[in-house]
Amino acid sequence: ERSFQMSYREQILSKTVLPPGRLCLAFSGGSDSLALLSLLPKERSYAVYINHNIRPSDELEKEIALNKRNASSFSIPIKIITMERGQVEALSLKEGIGIEAAARKLRYAILEKEDADYVLTAHHMDDQVETILMRLLSGSPFYRLEGIRLERGRIFRPFLHVEKELINAYIDESGLSCSYDSTNSDVRYKRNFIRKNILPLISSKEKRLISSIADNMQQINGREAGIPIKKGFTYSIEKESFLSSSPMRMEEALYKINEDLGFSSLLSRSQCLEVENAVGKNLNYTGPRFLVRTTDDVIRFYPRHLNIVFDGTKSFTWNNLCYEVSDEAFDEKTLIIDFSSLALPLLLRESRECDVIELREGRKKVRDLEKEYGVPYCFVLEDRTSIVAVLARVFGKKDRLARRLLNRKGKACSLRELERAMP
């Protein structure tokens, strides 16, 4: 019920927390971000509107014009950033994720580059409820029921405890004109379906109760430490630490490794259980995304997919793996390859069952080398004629050059593991 002592604006302000420093607002122009825009301190704020280019051009042009007028009316500078048409769809197809998820990933990548102390988004309590319901309905792991956090790094959500109904009442009372995204009516998106068909059936009291699930889960996650993961090209966990943790923390570790390996879609619950069972029985696990090798002390996770074609003249990094071409060796173990003797382009890929390399001592199956090294696979460097190198240094083993490249001078080709600091 409306408080007769406070206006809608005052009620919102009583539930809103603004962080210090320079503020960048992720401004869509909708009612939520417009309400937040109107409450920002003008002297230390600016807005960024990101055009995803996935809606009709005439709709976008009208929206951008309105957003500029609204920002000007509140004396807030606004920056317009436009993505290339098809960019969102391309990421969606590449990573096997929905259009909404792809747009969100690209949007946050842009916002993280902004020169501000905090990036504000206008997520509110109803967004929190939608998120919890989506995760419950999609079988998300228990720890992810923490929902949307008030603060995560530089991302800050001042409206997280403000009801959508209150925001709408404030917009109407103030006579503000907001833009409307036509894709928000498309119930093929799960969030829109929940917003249109489920949320209207839930009372304000029930929404607060569902939102409290996120608050409680965040407290639990804050009290119970996660499983330490040693990150490099491979990922390793102490076996005792893994097996002595709760099922929730086990799942969390697996999901984090899955995410670090570059997968946007979640692991299935059955895959998590398969890994946990294999580790408990001291067995190896071979899955579609990674391999798991278990010893008495350590569990190691190996990425499954690498297949890169290059011309031998450029450097690249991929998932903590760094390939460098230079005039000097990286260290005394660097492979020296005369690229002029190779039939370019080169292919860097995972080893296969049939792979063979001609070494100084003779012809050898790559699988036999892997058995000697005790690794699930290696990487091979292949030109148009044959395999020219077996690369195992990323797993702490020895690289091997093909016999036809021995005793030659040229550029340095090194693959090295880049260890990342623990967060």
Side-chain angles (χ1 to χ4, degrees):
E1 295 181 3
R2 181 179 177 183
S3 167
F4 291 100
Q5 289 75 37
M6 300 173 66
S7 67
Y8 291 126
R9 178 186 176 91
E10 289 170 334
Q11 290 182 63
I12 290 177
L13 285 172
S14 71
K15 300 178 180 182
T16 299
V17 179
L18 288 174
R22 180 166 167 77
L23 307 178
C24 167
L25 170 64
F27 184 55
S28 69
S31 58
D32 309 324
S33 61
L34 179 56
L36 183 51
L37 178 85
S38 72
L39 302 176
L40 291 180
K42 299 176 177 57
E43 68 280 359
R44 58 187 181 95
S45 305
Y46 72 101
V48 171
Y49 170 85
I50 299 175
N51 175 10
H52 300 92
N53 241 328
I54 55 177
R55 289 185 280 147
S57 298
D58 57 342
E59 178 182 329
L60 290 169
E61 289 173 4
K62 292 177 182 178
E63 180 172 279
I64 291 172
L66 175 60
N67 291 347
K68 287 180 177 179
R69 291 196 299 271
N70 278 331
S72 177
S73 68
F74 292 107
S75 302
I76 301 289
I78 185 170
K79 182 192 299 185
I80 309 296
I81 299 175
T82 301
M83 295 183 190
E84 294 181 10
R85 187 164 290 277
Q87 187 176 355
V88 174
E89 293 87 344
L91 181 65
S92 171
L93 183 63
K94 178 182 177 182
E95 299 196 1
I97 57 179
I99 292 293
E100 279 191 328
R104 182 169 55 252
K105 185 170 184 177
L106 290 169
R107 180 167 65 250
Y108 276 100
I110 292 172
L111 292 170
E112 286 170 1
K113 296 177 182 178
E114 285 299 314
D115 183 20
D117 295 300
Y118 288 94
V119 175
L120 309 183
T121 69
H123 291 91
H124 47 72
M125 181 184 289
D126 287 47
D127 290 323
Q128 183 73 288
V129 173
E130 289 171 9
T131 298
I132 297 302
L133 291 176
M134 282 182 66
R135 293 183 180 179
L136 284 170
L137 294 173
S138 62
S140 290
F142 189 67
Y143 79 91
R144 295 192 79 238
L145 295 182
E146 69 171 17
I148 305 170
R149 284 185 171 271
L150 176 67
E151 183 176 0
R152 189 182 292 277
R154 289 195 305 139
I155 304 297
F156 197 93
R157 302 173 174 97
F159 277 0
L160 201 55
H161 294 100
V162 179
E163 300 90 340
K164 173 66 173 175
E165 185 179 7
L166 184 56
I167 294 173
N168 288 341
Y170 166 63
I171 291 292
D172 291 341
E173 181 184 63
S174 304
L176 297 173
S177 296
C178 55
S179 59
Y180 179 74
D181 185 343
S182 60
T183 61
N184 288 337
S185 298
D186 191 343
V187 294
R188 289 175 298 177
Y189 299 126
K190 184 177 290 186
R191 183 177 289 276
N192 290 346
F193 179 85
I194 292 172
R195 182 178 301 154
K196 298 289 185 182
N197 298 296
I198 298 179
L199 248 62
L201 305 177
I202 302 176
S203 68
S204 296
K205 181 180 179 180
E206 290 167 336
K207 288 178 183 177
R208 287 193 290 270
L209 287 172
I210 294 173
S211 180
S212 69
I213 293 174
D215 295 333
N216 293 333
M217 196 65 240
Q218 287 175 23
Q219 290 187 32
I220 292 173
N221 283 338
R223 292 173 184 172
E224 185 179 346
I227 299 173
I229 302 172
K230 185 178 179 182
K231 301 179 181 181
F233 182 72
T234 60
Y235 296 79
S236 60
I237 296 174
E238 289 186 6
K239 184 178 176 183
E240 183 179 353
S241 174
F242 185 80
L243 293 179
S244 63
S245 297
S246 66
M248 181 177 74
R249 294 279 85 97
M250 289 182 182
E251 282 192 352
E252 180 184 25
L254 296 178
Y255 276 88
K256 285 184 176 179
I257 291 172
N258 177 74
E259 183 178 353
D260 283 348
L261 287 174
F263 295 103
S264 298
S265 57
L266 297 174
L267 280 174
S268 68
R269 182 62 55 83
S270 61
Q271 285 176 309
C272 289
L273 292 174
E274 287 171 4
V275 174
E276 292 166 20
N277 290 334
V279 171
K281 297 176 181 178
N282 219 39
L283 299 175
N284 296 326
Y285 167 81
T286 300
R289 299 184 177 184
F290 50 72
L291 306 173
V292 181
R293 294 296 180 263
T294 306
T295 65
D296 290 338
D297 303 318
V298 179
I299 311 163
R300 285 192 171 85
F301 297 80
Y302 297 83
R304 282 294 303 270
H305 303 292
L306 179 64
N307 195 14
I308 302 174
V309 177
F310 58 98
D311 61 8
T313 64
K314 297 179 180 179
S315 302
F316 69 82
T317 57
W318 177 85
N319 193 39
N320 303 316
L321 183 67
C322 179
Y323 170 83
E324 294 181 336
V325 178
S326 63
D327 293 327
E328 297 181 1
F330 176 70
D331 59 22
E332 69 278 2
K333 295 182 180 179
T334 298
L335 295 182
I336 305 299
I337 297 178
D338 181 3
F339 282 88
S340 65
S341 67
L342 301 179
L344 299 178
L346 298 177
L347 173 65
L348 176 65
R349 61 169 174 80
E350 300 169 48
S351 57
R352 300 170 187 157
E353 185 68 36
C354 59
D355 285 339
V356 174
I357 184 171
E358 290 286 348
L359 298 172
R360 183 192 297 273
E361 61 269 27
R363 186 179 178 86
K364 190 156 190 174
K365 289 184 177 180
V366 175
R367 279 286 184 263
D368 291 338
L369 274 176
E370 292 164 357
K371 290 177 183 178
E372 293 175 17
Y373 290 157
V375 296
Y377 63 93
C378 292
F379 294 109
V380 297
L381 194 62
E382 182 179 37
D383 71 359
R384 290 182 183 273
T385 61
S386 65
I387 292 174
V388 298
V390 174
L391 305 163
R393 287 189 63 203
V394 290
F395 303 129
K397 304 300 179 179
K398 185 181 179 181
D399 292 340
R400 299 296 303 274
L401 263 184
R403 180 171 56 193
R404 68 185 173 100
L405 294 180
L406 294 179
N407 300 322
R408 292 177 180 268
K409 294 181 179 180
K411 293 184 177 180
C413 166
S414 69
L415 282 167
R416 61 184 171 87
E417 181 179 349
L418 299 180
E419 292 294 348
R420 295 188 298 182
M422 293 293 291

